[in-house]
Amino acid sequence: DEVDIAIDASGSPHGVAASAARLVRGGRLVLLGILPPGQTPFPGNLVVTRELEVVGAFRFHDEIHDAVRLLADGLDVDAVITGVVPLAEASRAFEMAADRTTSSKVILDLRDESPS
């Protein structure tokens, strides 16, 4: 089905293209994800021929409060978490997160793991 508005938060050129392809003529594509540095493929012809509106949003405001509440209420986010890495292995966590071909979200566990 086609939709009026698509929000892409993936930061992936393929995600942007897939989102644009699902829009109705004259639909709106909102880009939240940060794309990789350098030249990035963009579905410009699709934007023109389907008369799409493309807008970007860089920051959030009060939404963090809603997100924290949803997480505290038990929102299941397992599908997007690639791994949970202890603070002592922070470099490994950042290496995992940097590989967009295998990672989605990597959680850095800040809890104190020293023996009590």
CSV table of all heavy atoms in Angstrom, one decimal, residues 14-48:
chain,number,residue,atom,x,y,z
A,14,HIS,N,19.3,3.0,1.1
A,14,HIS,CA,18.3,2.0,0.7
A,14,HIS,C,17.0,2.2,1.5
A,14,HIS,O,15.9,2.1,0.9
A,14,HIS,CB,18.7,0.6,1.0
A,14,HIS,CG,19.9,0.2,0.1
A,14,HIS,ND1,19.9,0.1,-1.2
A,14,HIS,CD2,21.2,0.0,0.5
A,14,HIS,CE1,21.1,-0.3,-1.7
A,14,HIS,NE2,21.9,-0.3,-0.6
A,15,GLY,N,17.1,2.6,2.7
A,15,GLY,CA,15.9,3.0,3.5
A,15,GLY,C,15.2,4.2,3.0
A,15,GLY,O,13.9,4.2,2.9
A,16,VAL,N,15.9,5.2,2.6
A,16,VAL,CA,15.3,6.4,2.0
A,16,VAL,C,14.6,6.1,0.7
A,16,VAL,O,13.5,6.5,0.5
A,16,VAL,CB,16.4,7.5,1.8
A,16,VAL,CG1,15.9,8.7,1.0
A,16,VAL,CG2,17.0,8.0,3.1
A,17,ALA,N,15.3,5.3,-0.1
A,17,ALA,CA,14.7,4.9,-1.4
A,17,ALA,C,13.4,4.1,-1.2
A,17,ALA,O,12.4,4.3,-1.9
A,17,ALA,CB,15.7,4.1,-2.3
A,18,ALA,N,13.4,3.1,-0.3
A,18,ALA,CA,12.3,2.3,0.0
A,18,ALA,C,11.1,3.1,0.5
A,18,ALA,O,10.0,2.9,0.2
A,18,ALA,CB,12.6,1.2,1.0
A,19,SER,N,11.4,4.1,1.4
A,19,SER,CA,10.4,5.0,2.0
A,19,SER,C,9.8,5.8,0.9
A,19,SER,O,8.5,6.0,0.8
A,19,SER,CB,11.0,5.9,3.0
A,19,SER,OG,11.5,5.1,4.1
A,20,ALA,N,10.6,6.4,0.0
A,20,ALA,CA,10.1,7.2,-1.1
A,20,ALA,C,9.2,6.4,-2.0
A,20,ALA,O,8.2,6.9,-2.5
A,20,ALA,CB,11.2,7.9,-1.9
A,21,ALA,N,9.6,5.2,-2.3
A,21,ALA,CA,8.8,4.3,-3.2
A,21,ALA,C,7.4,4.0,-2.7
A,21,ALA,O,6.6,3.6,-3.5
A,21,ALA,CB,9.6,3.0,-3.5
A,22,ARG,N,7.2,4.1,-1.4
A,22,ARG,CA,5.9,3.7,-0.8
A,22,ARG,C,4.9,4.9,-0.8
A,22,ARG,O,3.8,4.7,-0.4
A,22,ARG,CB,6.1,3.2,0.6
A,22,ARG,CG,6.9,1.9,0.7
A,22,ARG,CD,6.1,0.7,0.2
A,22,ARG,NE,4.8,0.5,0.7
A,22,ARG,CZ,4.5,-0.2,1.8
A,22,ARG,NH1,5.5,-0.7,2.5
A,22,ARG,NH2,3.3,-0.3,2.3
A,23,LEU,N,5.4,6.1,-1.1
A,23,LEU,CA,4.6,7.3,-1.0
A,23,LEU,C,3.6,7.5,-2.2
A,23,LEU,O,4.0,7.1,-3.3
A,23,LEU,CB,5.5,8.5,-0.9
A,23,LEU,CG,6.2,8.7,0.4
A,23,LEU,CD1,7.3,9.7,0.3
A,23,LEU,CD2,5.2,9.0,1.5
A,24,VAL,N,2.5,8.0,-1.9
A,24,VAL,CA,1.5,8.4,-2.9
A,24,VAL,C,2.1,9.6,-3.7
A,24,VAL,O,3.0,10.3,-3.2
A,24,VAL,CB,0.1,8.8,-2.3
A,24,VAL,CG1,-0.5,7.6,-1.7
A,24,VAL,CG2,0.2,10.0,-1.4
A,25,ARG,N,1.6,9.9,-4.9
A,25,ARG,CA,2.0,11.1,-5.6
A,25,ARG,C,1.7,12.3,-4.7
A,25,ARG,O,0.6,12.4,-4.1
A,25,ARG,CB,1.2,11.2,-6.9
A,25,ARG,CG,1.6,12.5,-7.7
A,25,ARG,CD,0.9,12.5,-9.0
A,25,ARG,NE,1.3,11.4,-9.9
A,25,ARG,CZ,2.4,11.3,-10.5
A,25,ARG,NH1,3.3,12.3,-10.4
A,25,ARG,NH2,2.7,10.3,-11.3
A,26,GLY,N,2.7,13.2,-4.5
A,26,GLY,CA,2.5,14.4,-3.7
A,26,GLY,C,2.7,14.1,-2.2
A,26,GLY,O,2.5,14.9,-1.4
A,27,GLY,N,3.2,12.9,-1.9
A,27,GLY,CA,3.4,12.5,-0.5
A,27,GLY,C,4.6,13.2,0.1
A,27,GLY,O,5.4,13.9,-0.6
A,28,ARG,N,4.8,13.0,1.4
A,28,ARG,CA,5.9,13.7,2.2
A,28,ARG,C,6.8,12.7,2.7
A,28,ARG,O,6.4,11.8,3.4
A,28,ARG,CB,5.2,14.6,3.3
A,28,ARG,CG,6.3,15.2,4.1
A,28,ARG,CD,5.6,16.0,5.2
A,28,ARG,NE,5.8,17.4,4.9
A,28,ARG,CZ,5.8,18.4,5.8
A,28,ARG,NH1,5.5,18.1,7.1
A,28,ARG,NH2,6.0,19.6,5.5
A,29,LEU,N,8.1,12.9,2.5
A,29,LEU,CA,9.2,12.1,3.0
A,29,LEU,C,9.9,12.9,4.0
A,29,LEU,O,10.5,13.9,3.7
A,29,LEU,CB,10.1,11.6,1.9
A,29,LEU,CG,11.3,10.8,2.3
A,29,LEU,CD1,11.0,9.5,3.0
A,29,LEU,CD2,12.2,10.5,1.1
A,30,VAL,N,9.9,12.4,5.3
A,30,VAL,CA,10.6,13.1,6.4
A,30,VAL,C,11.9,12.3,6.7
A,30,VAL,O,11.8,11.1,7.0
A,30,VAL,CB,9.8,13.1,7.6
A,30,VAL,CG1,10.5,13.9,8.8
A,30,VAL,CG2,8.4,13.9,7.3
A,31,LEU,N,13.0,12.9,6.6
A,31,LEU,CA,14.3,12.3,6.8
A,31,LEU,C,14.8,12.6,8.2
A,31,LEU,O,15.1,13.8,8.5
A,31,LEU,CB,15.3,12.7,5.8
A,31,LEU,CG,15.0,12.4,4.3
A,31,LEU,CD1,16.0,12.9,3.4
A,31,LEU,CD2,14.7,10.9,4.1
A,32,LEU,N,15.0,11.6,9.1
A,32,LEU,CA,15.5,11.8,10.4
A,32,LEU,C,16.9,11.2,10.6
A,32,LEU,O,17.7,11.7,11.3
A,32,LEU,CB,14.6,11.1,11.5
A,32,LEU,CG,13.2,11.7,11.6
A,32,LEU,CD1,12.4,10.9,12.7
A,32,LEU,CD2,13.2,13.2,12.0
A,33,GLY,N,17.1,10.1,9.9
A,33,GLY,CA,18.4,9.4,10.0
A,33,GLY,C,19.5,10.2,9.3
A,33,GLY,O,19.3,10.8,8.3
A,34,ILE,N,20.7,10.1,9.9
A,34,ILE,CA,21.9,10.7,9.3
A,34,ILE,C,22.5,9.8,8.3
A,34,ILE,O,22.9,8.7,8.6
A,34,ILE,CB,22.9,11.1,10.4
A,34,ILE,CG1,22.3,12.0,11.4
A,34,ILE,CG2,24.2,11.7,9.7
A,34,ILE,CD1,21.9,13.4,10.9
A,35,LEU,N,22.6,10.2,7.0
A,35,LEU,CA,23.1,9.4,6.0
A,35,LEU,C,24.7,9.3,6.1
A,35,LEU,O,25.3,10.1,6.7
A,35,LEU,CB,22.8,9.9,4.6
A,35,LEU,CG,21.2,9.8,4.3
A,35,LEU,CD1,20.9,10.7,3.2
A,35,LEU,CD2,20.9,8.4,4.0
A,36,PRO,N,25.3,8.3,5.5
A,36,PRO,CA,26.7,8.2,5.6
A,36,PRO,C,27.4,9.4,5.0
A,36,PRO,O,26.8,10.1,4.1
A,36,PRO,CB,27.0,6.9,4.7
A,36,PRO,CG,25.8,6.2,4.6
A,36,PRO,CD,24.7,7.2,4.7
A,37,PRO,N,28.6,9.7,5.4
A,37,PRO,CA,29.3,10.9,4.9
A,37,PRO,C,29.7,10.7,3.4
A,37,PRO,O,29.7,9.6,2.9
A,37,PRO,CB,30.6,10.9,5.7
A,37,PRO,CG,30.8,9.6,6.4
A,37,PRO,CD,29.4,9.0,6.4
A,38,GLY,N,29.9,11.8,2.7
A,38,GLY,CA,30.3,11.8,1.3
A,38,GLY,C,29.0,11.7,0.4
A,38,GLY,O,27.9,12.0,0.8
A,39,GLN,N,29.3,11.4,-0.8
A,39,GLN,CA,28.2,11.3,-1.8
A,39,GLN,C,27.3,10.1,-1.5
A,39,GLN,O,27.8,9.0,-1.2
A,39,GLN,CB,28.8,11.1,-3.2
A,39,GLN,CG,29.6,12.3,-3.7
A,39,GLN,CD,28.8,13.5,-3.8
A,39,GLN,OE1,27.7,13.5,-4.4
A,39,GLN,NE2,29.3,14.6,-3.4
A,40,THR,N,26.0,10.3,-1.4
A,40,THR,CA,25.0,9.3,-1.1
A,40,THR,C,24.0,9.2,-2.2
A,40,THR,O,23.4,10.2,-2.6
A,40,THR,CB,24.3,9.7,0.3
A,40,THR,OG1,25.3,9.8,1.3
A,40,THR,CG2,23.4,8.6,0.7
A,41,PRO,N,23.7,8.0,-2.6
A,41,PRO,CA,22.6,7.9,-3.6
A,41,PRO,C,21.3,8.4,-3.1
A,41,PRO,O,21.0,8.2,-1.9
A,41,PRO,CB,22.5,6.4,-3.9
A,41,PRO,CG,23.8,5.8,-3.3
A,41,PRO,CD,24.3,6.7,-2.3
A,42,PHE,N,20.5,9.1,-3.9
A,42,PHE,CA,19.3,9.6,-3.5
A,42,PHE,C,18.3,9.5,-4.6
A,42,PHE,O,18.6,9.7,-5.8
A,42,PHE,CB,19.4,11.1,-3.2
A,42,PHE,CG,18.2,11.8,-2.6
A,42,PHE,CD1,17.9,11.6,-1.3
A,42,PHE,CD2,17.4,12.5,-3.4
A,42,PHE,CE1,16.7,12.2,-0.8
A,42,PHE,CE2,16.2,13.1,-2.9
A,42,PHE,CZ,15.9,12.9,-1.6
A,43,PRO,N,17.0,9.1,-4.3
A,43,PRO,CA,16.0,8.8,-5.4
A,43,PRO,C,15.4,10.1,-6.0
A,43,PRO,O,14.2,10.3,-5.9
A,43,PRO,CB,15.0,7.9,-4.6
A,43,PRO,CG,15.0,8.4,-3.2
A,43,PRO,CD,16.5,8.8,-3.0
A,44,GLY,N,16.3,10.9,-6.5
A,44,GLY,CA,15.8,12.2,-7.0
A,44,GLY,C,14.8,12.1,-8.1
A,44,GLY,O,13.8,12.9,-8.1
A,45,ASN,N,15.0,11.2,-9.0
A,45,ASN,CA,14.0,11.0,-10.1
A,45,ASN,C,12.6,10.7,-9.6
A,45,ASN,O,11.6,11.2,-10.1
A,45,ASN,CB,14.4,10.0,-11.2
A,45,ASN,CG,15.6,10.5,-12.0
A,45,ASN,OD1,15.8,11.7,-12.1
A,45,ASN,ND2,16.3,9.6,-12.6
A,46,LEU,N,12.6,9.8,-8.6
A,46,LEU,CA,11.3,9.5,-7.9
A,46,LEU,C,10.7,10.7,-7.3
A,46,LEU,O,9.5,10.9,-7.3
A,46,LEU,CB,11.5,8.3,-6.9
A,46,LEU,CG,10.3,7.7,-6.3
A,46,LEU,CD1,9.4,7.1,-7.4
A,46,LEU,CD2,10.7,6.6,-5.3
A,47,VAL,N,11.5,11.5,-6.6
A,47,VAL,CA,11.0,12.7,-5.9
A,47,VAL,C,10.4,13.6,-7.0
A,47,VAL,O,9.3,14.2,-6.8
A,47,VAL,CB,12.1,13.4,-5.2
A,47,VAL,CG1,11.7,14.8,-4.7
A,47,VAL,CG2,12.6,12.6,-4.0
A,48,VAL,N,11.0,13.8,-8.1
A,48,VAL,CA,10.5,14.7,-9.2
A,48,VAL,C,9.2,14.1,-9.8
A,48,VAL,O,8.2,14.8,-9.9
A,48,VAL,CB,11.6,15.0,-10.2
A,48,VAL,CG1,11.0,15.7,-11.4
A,48,VAL,CG2,12.7,15.7,-9.6
